[in-house]
Amino acid sequence: MFFPGLWWFVLNFFNNHFMCSVIGIVYDSQNRILLLDHKYRPHSPAFPSGWLRKGENPLDTIVREIKEETNFNVQPKRLLSIGSSKKFLHLEFVVEVLYLDGEFIPSNEVSNFSWVSPTDVIDTLNVFCCILNDNGVLNESNFVSTYTVKWF
């Protein structure tokens, strides 16, 4: 007799688990990139991000996280990249996101925000140069890149 619940319990108990997070590269109508001042992160400002919840996909997660952290309304456009870590069991999805509207309201996690030019992002946050072209604009390719996360 086969018991699916027991099977998943055993698999869950004996296998490693991945944490999954999403990073949003949010741009506005002037092609500026959104950075957030996170209260609890050692490296701030940073891109909006958050952890996937059970049953969510990366696009839903980044919309929820940005709304919770800033009160901004956004629209996810496409998955840009998937990264992993050699050090931790962690998958990181990078999503291109369009800012729609909303008035910033500070949250428990984010104290402030700024809009910066794409070239400023390249200079200060080199981790994501792989998804920006030489002019600091998001690549238009439909190709989803992959990379290995460099942990600080």
Side-chain angles (χ1 to χ4, degrees):
M1 190 182 259
F2 180 70
F3 297 101
L6 178 61
W7 174 250
W8 283 111
F9 174 79
V10 171
L11 284 175
N12 189 45
F13 183 79
F14 286 106
N15 287 291
N16 292 323
H17 297 89
F18 276 87
M19 296 293 293
C20 296
S21 65
V22 181
I23 295 174
I25 309 296
V26 182
Y27 64 95
D28 66 2
S29 61
Q30 299 172 37
N31 203 36
R32 299 175 300 175
I33 304 291
L34 176 65
L35 295 180
L36 302 178
D37 292 325
H38 291 89
K39 295 177 182 179
Y40 307 112
R41 291 194 189 160
H43 304 286
S44 198
F47 293 114
S49 62
W51 298 104
L52 269 79
R53 291 182 179 166
K54 184 177 181 177
E56 276 186 333
N57 67 53
L59 303 180
D60 293 337
T61 298
I62 199 62
V63 170
R64 175 184 53 77
E65 284 288 340
I66 292 170
K67 186 67 173 178
E68 288 175 1
E69 294 178 354
T70 65
N71 193 48
F72 291 160
N73 297 307
V74 297
Q75 178 183 8
K77 300 305 277 183
R78 63 187 171 125
L79 180 64
L80 295 171
S81 186
I82 302 170
S84 65
S85 170
K86 292 182 180 178
K87 190 174 180 182
F88 302 105
L89 293 173
H90 179 237
L91 289 176
E92 186 171 77
F93 299 89
V94 181
V95 177
E96 177 182 353
V97 182
L98 174 64
Y99 167 81
L100 299 175
D101 59 24
E103 184 174 328
F104 178 75
I105 298 174
S107 67
N108 292 336
E109 297 179 49
V110 175
S111 60
N112 206 352
F113 75 100
S114 57
W115 291 103
V116 299
S117 75
T119 53
D120 291 340
V121 173
I122 288 176
D123 293 341
T124 58
L125 301 167
N126 292 327
V127 171
F128 296 102
C129 288
C130 63
I131 59 174
L132 301 174
N133 68 23
D134 292 337
N135 298 322
V137 177
L138 291 169
N139 286 319
E140 293 299 321
S141 167
N142 288 326
F143 174 74
V144 176
S145 64
T146 58
Y147 62 94
T148 300
V149 176
K150 297 176 183 173
W151 294 93
F152 299 99

